Amino acid sequence: MSAPPLAKKPRTSTPGKNDDDGIPVPETTTLDYVNLTSHTDSFGVDPIPVSWGHPDPLVRGPIICTVRHSSQRNAIGAHSGSYCIYTGLAVAAGKLNPDYVPNLKLTRPVFQIGPHKSWSDPKKVASIDPFGHLTTEVYGAYLDKGFDIRPTIAITKAHIDLPETREAVAAGRLIPDGKILMPNGQSIVSKAAIEPVWYLPEIARRFGCTETMLRQSIFRMTNGMYPELITRPDIKIFLPPIGGLTIYIWGDPDTIPDEDIELTCRVHDECNGSDVFGSDICTCRPYLTHAIEECIKTAQRGGCGIVIYFRKEGRSLGEVTKYLVYNTRKRQEGGDSAENYFSCTEQVAGVQDTRFQALMPDPLHFLGVTKIHNFISMSDMKYNAIVSTGIEIVNRVEIPKELVPADAQVEITAKVFHGYNAGKAYQDIDEKELKKTVGREYAY
């Protein structure tokens, strides 16, 4: 595939602005007033060009979204997603110097990811900066020159200690090998934390709208939080104030692109109530821990296991909305029922689901995935989104029936009836089963 065209806007050729290395001299912002917004043709505005999708990171250009280089900034938004507000609080409280630049010397990734061919295809990677973990490696010359460029991906390793894994060891389902799984039940993982970085033209294409409509819709529904979405059409990169994702890997990450080596994968969306606190109204935690068990087994067979954990609480509607839906489900006439499972969400939120899955496959392409042998998910939406981007899925693995909590029968029945992959375990779910499945009653 040919590389995308380079950014058209020429760099300012003011004498002294560039050295022989072609890297511009950073212009540090030291203003004593607040500039409410900026415009494309304003005096002094000269963002570092970005040629999204170019395979050469130096030609692609660094993503600059820090406050120190307002004239050269080439992205709308701020680092750290929704946590950027806490940075503002730290500055207001006098706890953080707004001019502080992080020391990144010891932060380089502890294992390598990429580069992969998919990195240069915006149709595969448009919500992640594929070079976001290589800031010190590929943009070191910018850093040495004084630019404040922040990583959007951090890669490390860890030991994971889950009671379900210890129980699997005790039951004999998992056998410690001292490499992937320790005798105490801890498993060894490689992991990557990723902040979203959106290339707006491609995001708009995936959602079937114009870039202008996308910008206007985000601007409107955030109450004008980002005026540069409207005033700076020349800036195509947006760091949205949303949660990111974490990738957990069991086994050797280098095997992921090899289609001949077994790969097990779950894409999981955050559910604080179940994942952390064990609420039994849904299948989230048991499905997640089952996936981890399968990932460990795959890694012990010489393959690799991946769990991608998205911060999309309550189907991206938020936890407050989710709890309002819970109350509606329990209080409706006839009580909580599988038949009305989805309509209760629409009644409260106006929509069943705002996760959409158009951006979900990007981290798979970031890892170089082209084939998933075992997909630990029943979601038709996730399956369709992944295979539509060219990734092959061989087996779809449903949650074992014995792992479904008592009050989650409503959820699993409704989802299977409305299109989730039933597998062998749930083939008996029909309209009669849908109508008779009800949840626990509460006196509230």
Side-chain angles (χ1 to χ4, degrees):
M1 188 188 71
S2 60
L6 302 186
K8 299 297 184 182
K9 185 174 180 180
R11 293 291 304 155
T12 303
S13 58
T14 305
K17 288 289 184 181
N18 296 274
D19 291 338
D20 292 340
D21 57 10
I23 297 174
V25 175
E27 299 171 4
T28 304
T29 302
T30 55
L31 299 178
D32 57 0
Y33 64 89
V34 177
N35 187 15
L36 292 180
T37 189
S38 60
H39 298 270
T40 304
D41 298 321
S42 298
F43 177 77
V45 172
D46 195 16
I48 302 296
V50 175
S51 297
W52 189 273
H54 201 284
D56 185 335
L58 290 177
V59 177
R60 198 293 302 270
I63 302 301
I64 300 178
C65 199
T66 49
V67 298
R68 289 175 55 81
H69 315 293
S70 61
S71 65
Q72 294 165 305
R73 180 171 50 84
N74 56 20
I76 301 166
H79 286 284
S80 301
S82 58
Y83 294 107
C84 66
I85 303 301
Y86 289 98
T87 304
L89 288 176
V91 172
K95 301 296 184 180
L96 175 65
N97 182 345
D99 295 325
Y100 179 77
V101 177
N103 183 341
L104 301 174
K105 290 182 179 179
L106 301 178
T107 65
R108 66 185 183 278
V110 301
F111 66 93
Q112 184 175 348
I113 294 179
H116 299 294
K117 184 179 179 181
S118 53
W119 290 13
S120 58
D121 184 354
K123 291 183 178 181
K124 290 182 168 58
V125 179
S127 63
I128 294 171
D129 177 5
F131 302 109
H133 58 306
L134 301 175
T135 300
T136 58
E137 180 178 335
V138 300
Y139 299 120
Y142 281 83
L143 298 175
D144 292 342
K145 212 160 191 176
F147 275 98
D148 183 5
I149 303 172
R150 308 286 176 94
T152 56
I153 300 174
I155 297 177
T156 189
K157 291 191 176 184
H159 287 220
I160 301 296
D161 193 347
L162 288 173
E164 288 88 346
T165 304
R166 295 196 300 270
E167 291 167 6
V169 171
R173 297 195 310 273
L174 287 176
I175 308 298
D177 60 357
K179 181 180 178 181
I180 303 298
L181 184 63
M182 300 295 104
N184 64 358
Q186 290 185 339
S187 62
I188 311 302
V189 298
S190 306
K191 60 181 183 177
I194 301 179
E195 294 178 4
V197 178
W198 288 5
Y199 178 55
L200 291 173
E202 172 61 17
I203 303 299
R205 187 199 68 81
R206 295 192 196 183
F207 282 88
C209 65
T210 65
E211 183 185 341
T212 298
M213 175 60 72
L214 175 66
R215 288 170 175 264
Q216 290 177 349
S217 296
I218 296 173
F219 176 74
R220 178 185 179 189
M221 299 312 293
T222 57
N223 287 315
M225 187 185 297
Y226 296 99
E228 287 182 325
L229 287 169
I230 306 301
T231 65
R232 294 299 303 274
D234 61 312
I235 296 182
K236 303 295 185 181
I237 309 300
F238 179 43
L239 274 61
I242 61 175
L245 63 99
T246 308
I247 300 173
Y248 293 86
I249 302 170
W250 288 263
D252 185 356
D254 289 341
T255 67
I256 291 174
D258 191 335
E259 294 187 354
D260 292 329
I261 297 179
E262 185 182 11
L263 180 64
T264 294
C265 175
R266 175 165 176 79
V267 177
H268 188 91
D269 296 324
E270 178 185 33
C271 176
N272 183 63
S274 176
D275 294 345
V276 179
F277 292 97
S279 171
D280 76 341
I281 200 171
C282 63
T283 60
C284 294
R285 182 182 175 99
Y287 215 169
L288 174 61
T289 57
H290 176 65
I292 291 172
E293 184 173 326
E294 292 302 311
C295 285
I296 292 171
K297 290 177 180 177
T298 301
Q300 290 180 322
R301 291 193 293 265
C304 193
I306 301 171
V307 169
I308 301 179
Y309 192 92
F310 279 94
R311 279 16 176 244
K312 295 180 179 179
E313 179 65 63
R315 301 183 196 154
S316 291
L317 294 166
E319 198 166 30
V320 169
T321 297
K322 180 164 75 171
Y323 286 10
L324 295 175
V325 172
Y326 286 169
N327 287 349
T328 300
R329 284 172 53 184
K330 297 298 183 180
R331 287 172 172 160
Q332 67 183 319
E333 184 176 352
D336 191 11
S337 69
E339 188 175 19
N340 295 323
Y341 175 81
F342 288 109
S343 63
C344 287
T345 304
E346 288 189 85
Q347 180 180 331
V348 174
V351 63
Q352 288 185 9
D353 194 327
T354 57
R355 286 172 298 181
F356 308 110
Q357 302 297 345
L359 309 181
M360 178 270 295
D362 284 29
L364 293 170
H365 291 293
F366 169 67
L367 294 171
V369 174
T370 57
K371 184 176 183 179
I372 298 171
H373 298 79
N374 309 300
F375 186 49
I376 316 296
S377 173
M378 298 168 69
S379 170
D380 55 323
M381 293 179 290
K382 290 177 180 176
Y383 172 85
N384 291 336
I386 290 171
V387 298
S388 71
T389 65
I391 296 174
E392 179 186 357
I393 293 178
V394 180
N395 300 310
R396 301 173 70 180
V397 182
E398 67 272 21
I399 183 173
K401 266 193 167 185
E402 64 270 19
L403 295 184
V404 179
D407 207 32
Q409 296 297 331
V410 167
E411 176 197 68
I412 197 71
T413 301
K415 287 182 174 180
V416 169
F417 182 82
H418 287 284
Y420 270 44
N421 182 54
K424 294 181 179 179
Y426 303 93
Q427 291 180 345
D428 58 342
I429 292 179
D430 53 17
E431 188 170 359
K432 181 180 179 180
E433 189 71 19
L434 179 76
K435 291 181 179 296
K436 77 175 187 180
T437 302
V438 295
R440 184 184 297 121
E441 293 184 6
Y442 287 109
Y444 59 71

